[in-house]
Amino acid sequence: DVQLVESGGGSVQAGGSLRLACAASGSAASMACMTWFRRAPGKQREGVAAIYHSGWEPWYSEAVKGRFSISRDNAKNTVYLQMNSLQPEDTAMHYCAARAASCALTWARDDLYNYWGRGTQVTVS
């Protein structure tokens, strides 16, 4: 089993930055793909960024490409999401998710993830 705990959310002004962290425990080392999702009020959950266990070739949604950066510290079993140039449309609950299958082309499909954290709120005004 895998447990995921997100942290680092908060309230910032437009143009500001936040760094989210997802601490994994349990069988986290077996998780090939770690992904950040978000859900804004009244909208469906969407994939933001994903990363392989190796950290090689991360994926990003078009909405955050060039502004957000995902990284992974396997020694600490932690995945980070550095969010720069935040805009009000980035306001959402952000979730960490994990799966044993590779990220590949389906990384943004939330139905393919086995493990989820409870989320951390990001508010941009």
Side-chain angles (χ1 to χ4, degrees), residues 92-114:
M93 183 69 79
H94 285 64
Y95 300 90
C96 179
R99 71 189 196 192
S102 66
C103 297
L105 298 177
T106 62
W107 69 270
R109 282 187 53 184
D110 60 357
D111 61 314
L112 297 181
Y113 287 81
N114 308 99

Side-chain angles (χ1 to χ4, degrees), residues 30 68-69 90 99 108 121:
S30 65
F68 291 10
S69 176
D90 295 314
R99 71 189 196 192
Q121 176 68 35

Side-chain angles (χ1 to χ4, degrees), residues 36-50:
W36 286 97
F37 287 85
R38 66 184 182 187
R39 176 177 280 159
K43 294 187 178 181
Q44 289 187 331
R45 187 160 53 189
E46 62 173 350
V48 175

Side-chain angles (χ1 to χ4, degrees), residues 79-125:
V79 176
Y80 302 96
L81 184 67
Q82 177 67 44
M83 305 185 296
N84 299 326
S85 301
L86 283 162
Q87 300 301 317
E89 52 265 34
D90 295 314
T91 295
M93 183 69 79
H94 285 64
Y95 300 90
C96 179
R99 71 189 196 192
S102 66
C103 297
L105 298 177
T106 62
W107 69 270
R109 282 187 53 184
D110 60 357
D111 61 314
L112 297 181
Y113 287 81
N114 308 99
Y115 304 101
W116 291 86
R118 293 191 173 188
T120 184
Q121 176 68 35
V122 172
T123 302
V124 186
S125 59

